Amino acid sequence: MLAEAQTRVRAVPTGGPLGADIVDFDPGHFSDEDMAVVRQALLDHLVIRIRSTDIDDVAFERFGSRFGELLPSPDFTRSRPVYLENARYVTIISNVTDDGKPIGEHGDGELHWHTDLAFTDTPSALTMLLAREVPPTGGNTSFANMYAALGALSPETRERIKRLRMKHQASHNAQGGRRPGYKDIETDDVREMPGPIHPIIRTHPLSGRQALYLGRRFGAYIPGLPLAQSEALCDELFATANDPSRVWAQEWKLGDLVIWDNRCTMHRRDAFTGLGRRRMHRLTTRGERPV
Ligand code: SIN
């Protein structure tokens, strides 16, 4: 209450199943009271957006570090450096090329539903994207509410997954190609692919609420189940998780800064092939082992 009384910053919900705009907030100049409102909004709304930001990458990195320890993207996912020289935790997601070489990751194709770094032992907690260049249309990013997804499962499925865990394969990327760090992996059998095993229901360390926790559908496997049963259950869980009734889509404008919590959301991106240049600057924070 005291914090709110000393700041004009406030959260305005999107009206969708998650997400809020933070208004009267400048990520380049803010007080501890302002920051308290922003942190609470992220806990309450799972995704927050700050529009028309006007900060350089050093200030972006400084602001991002107020949410936790910043992480470089892991070496085994990258075939080339994609960070900024003057702000080493800021990586680039872009379809732009310079002298024929991509300046960032992920090109212009669709990115299927996932949570960031679920294929590592300690997936990132938060991801922040700052829009530096956006095409006139396309490349929207959609977010799904994983607290709500858990609540939407039947009581039988919920009871069943309490005792189960999911393997999040690490060796293959979303397109099915092998990641740079796993070039010698031969298998295409999801039971054999390497990757961490996480609970399917996880408890958010700050909110104390339970959420459905999934990574990518490609390569997901539920250890202990015959393959056909694992596939059927994975299909059911992902269909529930990504149901449009629990999704809100961000249509990017220049200067938008969007922050999401990977512990209680999933996200995907529309393809934007042929629609223009898109360049996002990204930060992630260290997360914890899901429990
Ligand atoms: C991501 O999935 O990490 C990137 C999302 C986007 O490019 O909008």
Side-chain angles (χ1 to χ4, degrees), residues 2-52:
L2 185 62
E4 282 178 25
Q6 293 174 349
T7 172
R8 288 164 49 90
V9 178
R10 64 192 198 286
V12 179
T14 59
L18 72 170
D21 278 305
I22 305 295
V23 296
D24 281 328
F25 178 72
D26 177 355
H29 299 94
F30 53 86
S31 65
D32 289 346
E33 289 77 16
D34 296 341
M35 208 45 209
V37 175
V38 174
R39 282 207 189 86
Q40 189 60 47
L42 189 53
L43 264 186
D44 293 343
H45 301 284
L46 326 187
V47 181
I48 55 174
R49 174 174 64 189
I50 304 158
R51 297 216 107 146
S52 308

Side-chain angles (χ1 to χ4, degrees), residues 6-288:
Q6 293 174 349
T7 172
R8 288 164 49 90
V9 178
R10 64 192 198 286
V12 179
T14 59
L18 72 170
D21 278 305
I22 305 295
V23 296
D24 281 328
F25 178 72
D26 177 355
H29 299 94
F30 53 86
S31 65
D32 289 346
E33 289 77 16
D34 296 341
M35 208 45 209
V37 175
V38 174
R39 282 207 189 86
Q40 189 60 47
L42 189 53
L43 264 186
D44 293 343
H45 301 284
L46 326 187
V47 181
I48 55 174
R49 174 174 64 189
I50 304 158
R51 297 216 107 146
S52 308
T53 60
D54 181 21
I55 49 174
D56 64 20
D57 292 304
V58 173
F60 177 36
E61 205 174 59
R62 195 180 317 122
F63 173 58
S65 70
R66 295 292 298 267
F67 291 89
E69 182 189 351
L70 295 177
L71 289 179
S73 69
D75 283 341
F76 72 89
T77 66
R78 283 186 273 139
S79 47
R80 61 193 177 277
V82 289
Y83 54 80
L84 301 180
E85 283 301 336
N86 63 337
R88 309 272 291 194
Y89 291 99
V90 177
T91 57
I92 305 169
I93 296 189
S94 185
N95 63 333
V96 175
T97 55
D98 182 13
D99 221 2
K101 295 195 194 75
I103 63 165
E105 297 179 289
H106 298 324
D108 58 12
E110 175 181 357
L111 297 178
H112 296 283
W113 285 107
H114 64 283
T115 52
D116 288 338
L117 297 187
F119 52 85
T120 63
D121 287 335
T122 53
S124 45
L126 307 180
T127 304
M128 308 170 212
L129 281 191
L130 175 52
R132 293 297 196 199
E133 288 183 78
V134 290
T137 176
N140 296 343
T141 309
S142 298
F143 297 92
N145 183 329
M146 290 298 107
Y147 294 130
L150 182 64
L153 291 170
S154 69
E156 295 74 29
T157 302
R158 201 171 159 146
E159 196 53 39
R160 187 173 176 213
I161 61 173
K162 269 188 197 163
R163 296 183 299 276
L164 295 172
R165 294 159 72 81
M166 186 175 284
K167 183 168 69 176
H168 299 249
Q169 70 80 21
S171 52
H172 291 58
N173 62 26
Q175 287 73 38
R178 288 191 295 276
R179 291 205 162 97
Y182 287 94
K183 286 290 183 220
D184 52 349
I185 293 279
E186 296 294 345
T187 186
D188 286 326
D189 183 335
V190 295
R191 292 167 294 190
E192 308 298 329
M193 289 176 181
I197 295 174
H198 296 312
I200 300 177
I201 300 179
R202 77 179 288 185
T203 304
H204 193 289
L206 301 178
S207 72
R209 296 173 66 193
Q210 289 192 315
L212 186 60
Y213 185 63
L214 309 177
R216 286 185 196 279
R217 176 66 187 88
F218 175 82
Y221 174 62
I222 301 177
L225 293 190
L227 185 57
Q229 282 186 31
S230 168
E231 289 290 300
L233 183 52
C234 285
D235 283 346
E236 179 187 344
L237 296 176
F238 278 81
T240 305
N242 306 145
D243 188 280
S245 63
R246 290 178 285 279
V247 169
W248 167 75
Q250 150 71 351
E251 294 174 22
W252 292 96
K253 289 190 176 16
L254 205 61
D256 279 357
L257 167 51
V258 172
I259 306 177
W260 65 88
D261 191 327
N262 288 294
R263 299 164 294 192
C264 50
T265 62
M266 293 182 80
H267 60 281
R268 66 172 289 281
R269 181 190 77 190
D270 293 340
F272 57 103
T273 313
L275 295 176
R277 290 166 65 107
R278 186 179 190 268
R279 179 166 54 95
M280 301 285 164
H281 286 187
R282 175 180 59 190
L283 290 171
T284 58
T285 65
R286 184 180 295 287
E288 50 289 304

